[in-house]
């Protein structure tokens, strides 16, 4: 089982956190937590071999909102994350 939010610190999680910090420094409008969440979501989606469009359709969410969350611009609700987790088989 994989986790959408980083619970344990692994090498991959470290890279996501560093990426989030760098991105947040470039654009102070972006929250490092949302950037890290988006990076993790992209990673899980890529591991499943899904496009944004396919994941959005399978989970019943807006492709635009999914793109915004992946780039750290959009804020994800609990329900949105539950829908994605159902398709990505994570918690």
């Amino acid at each position: 089982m994989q986790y959408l939010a980083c619970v344990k610190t692994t090498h991959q999680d470290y890279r996501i956190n560093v990426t989030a910090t760098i991105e947040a420094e470039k654009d102070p409008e972006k929250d490092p937590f949302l950037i890290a969440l988006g990076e993790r979501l992209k990673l899980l989606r890529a591991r499943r071999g899904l496009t944004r469009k396919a994941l959005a359709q399978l989970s019943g969410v807006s492709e635009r909102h999914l793109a915004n969350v992946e780039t750290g611009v959009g804020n994800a609700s609990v329900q949105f994350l539950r829908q994605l987790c159902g398709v990505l088989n994570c918690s």
Side-chain angles (χ1 to χ4, degrees), residues 32-83:
F33 177 82
L34 295 179
I35 295 169
L37 178 68
E39 290 291 323
R40 183 70 173 170
L41 180 55
K42 275 191 264 191
L43 176 71
L44 291 172
R45 180 175 58 77
R47 285 183 183 170
R48 301 294 187 276
L50 294 170
T51 63
R52 275 188 190 154
K53 185 173 191 165
L55 178 57
Q57 288 175 343
L58 290 170
S59 58
V61 301
S62 159
E63 186 179 351
R64 170 72 64 167
H65 187 52
L66 178 58
N68 286 341
V69 171
E70 283 190 354
T71 57
V73 175
N75 200 347
S77 69
V78 173
Q79 184 60 31
F80 177 82
L81 295 175
R82 287 182 69 209
Q83 288 173 266

Side-chain angles (χ1 to χ4, degrees), residues 1-4 8 40 44 47-48 85 88-91:
M1 179 84 42
Q2 295 178 357
Y3 295 93
L4 188 57
K8 294 186 211 172
R40 183 70 173 170
L44 291 172
R47 285 183 183 170
R48 301 294 187 276
C85 287
L88 294 172
N89 192 28
C90 63
S91 58

